[in-house]
Amino acid sequence: MTSQFTHDYTGIVLHETPLIDVRAPVEFARGAFVNAVNLPLMNDEERHLVGICYKEKGSAEATRLGHQLVSGLIRAERTQTWIAHLEKYPDSIIHCFGGDLRSQIAQQWIQEAAGRLIPRLKGGYKAFRNYLLTELNTSLEAIPVLLGGNTGSGKTVILKKLPNAIDLEALANHRGSAFGAKLSPQPAQITFENSMAYKLIQHRAKGYRSLIIEDEGSRISRCIIPKAPAEYFNSGDIVLVELSLAERIENIFHEYVLEAQQDYLAYYGESGLAEWFLFMSAAMEKIKQRFGGHLPEMLTLLQSAYQKQRQSGDTSGHRRWIEMLLTEYYDPLYQRQLKKASRKILFRGNAAEVTDYFKQYCAD
């Protein structure tokens, strides 16, 4: 028989159990868990009205108002939404903020309508979040190893081939540079932390001897790596992947021009190329303090390449501003950071050699 509650937080993480979050959308936006879907009991306005009532008249009146606002057809529609989701994900667990009234009501309505008891998360969002924070601040026994290299070296491609690696940029939904923003937004800071905790718990459970991550620094655009894991990550030595300038130019060209433009066209339609150009121009402006006197020239190269592409479809001109961006900005910047960190370099080589090194010396 299904239990009314579950507090197996570790099991939820290891199996990435689907979660039905019945908090209001505004609460969900502030922070959520992996594999959680927001199917609220009350929308933002209803929650706001109940909150005012609670402050002015107390808990009993607020509960009564909540039942009035979510009744009849509204109650039936929201219950059916939960049931439809459970048909696709029958192992789902329900939670609200504190694990009490809202998730209890959802659990009861589902049982009445579908004849099945769906467990709710004991302690709700608050308790599970505290568990994840504790795990996030618990050091791993695995030895951290940083994957470094100049921009365009294909570090993310290498990480994806290694089972004992964690791709922090993927968790942050950002490529980690001034030009790395994606069309979909970055997660809220709390959501980023929750996702990182999931990955660290899963890594620990598999007993890997080492943890491989990219040499990121303390933040990935808007997402800040918390102090404890940042210190742990940065305590590791480094493996450098080294590609020729020509190879790196091609990597950046394919990712930041060809692939990015396709994404913009899919999202914006006919205005996609123009939107891409505006984004790239704005990104260059953001780094002008560090880029110095080369910025006007690079902007001119970008504009010329864009105009040529619009006129003839020829994208080759973009390689010129990419080369300048790498040689005059990113390469000197990374070399300064590398010297400042004074990390031991364990190995250096091309992508294939670095991948083989990780598989041979940093395996399970």
Side-chain angles (χ1 to χ4, degrees), residues 49-242:
L49 293 173
V50 169
I52 293 174
C53 183
Y54 178 83
K55 291 179 181 178
E56 295 178 348
K57 300 180 180 180
S59 176
E61 285 299 319
T63 301
R64 187 176 294 108
L65 176 60
H67 280 285
Q68 290 175 356
L69 293 172
V70 186
S71 61
L73 183 59
I74 294 176
R75 167 178 168 170
E77 289 176 345
R78 292 180 189 174
T79 302
Q80 187 54 46
T81 299
W82 297 326
I83 293 172
H85 185 78
L86 287 165
E87 289 174 352
K88 293 182 179 180
Y89 306 98
D91 296 331
S92 295
I93 296 170
I94 296 174
H95 76 83
C96 57
F97 180 75
D100 297 322
L101 187 58
R102 284 182 287 179
S103 57
Q104 181 182 1
I105 290 171
Q107 184 187 53
Q108 178 184 339
W109 289 357
I110 291 170
Q111 188 172 17
E112 291 173 355
R116 54 187 298 188
L117 180 64
I118 305 302
R120 70 181 195 264
L121 189 62
K122 191 173 182 63
Y125 173 89
K126 184 178 180 180
F128 192 24
R129 165 69 174 162
N130 287 337
Y131 160 79
L132 293 177
L133 281 176
T134 299
E135 294 297 318
L136 194 63
N137 289 291
T138 301
S139 297
L140 293 178
E141 295 182 1
I143 300 170
V145 181
L146 299 172
L147 174 60
N150 285 319
T151 299
S153 297
K155 298 183 286 292
T156 300
V157 175
I158 294 174
L159 288 179
K160 291 185 182 300
K161 297 178 180 179
L162 305 171
N164 54 337
I166 294 178
D167 186 352
L168 297 176
E169 289 184 357
L171 300 182
N173 195 37
H174 199 280
R175 298 183 186 94
S177 71
F179 302 85
K182 298 184 179 181
L183 287 169
S184 55
Q186 286 192 268
Q189 175 65 26
I190 291 174
T191 301
F192 173 67
E193 293 172 1
N194 291 341
S195 298
M196 189 188 305
Y198 262 65
K199 290 296 183 183
L200 292 172
I201 294 166
Q202 292 166 354
H203 190 283
R204 183 185 296 116
K206 293 177 180 177
Y208 291 122
R209 185 161 56 93
S210 61
L211 167 64
I212 302 167
I213 53 162
E214 188 171 340
D215 185 13
E216 296 284 3
S218 61
R219 65 188 302 150
I220 306 171
S221 190
R222 222 168 31 85
C223 292
I224 300 170
I225 300 174
K227 182 178 179 181
E231 290 178 349
Y232 164 68
F233 296 153
N234 290 326
S235 69
D237 293 322
I238 193 165
V239 171
L240 290 176
V241 56
E242 298 177 327

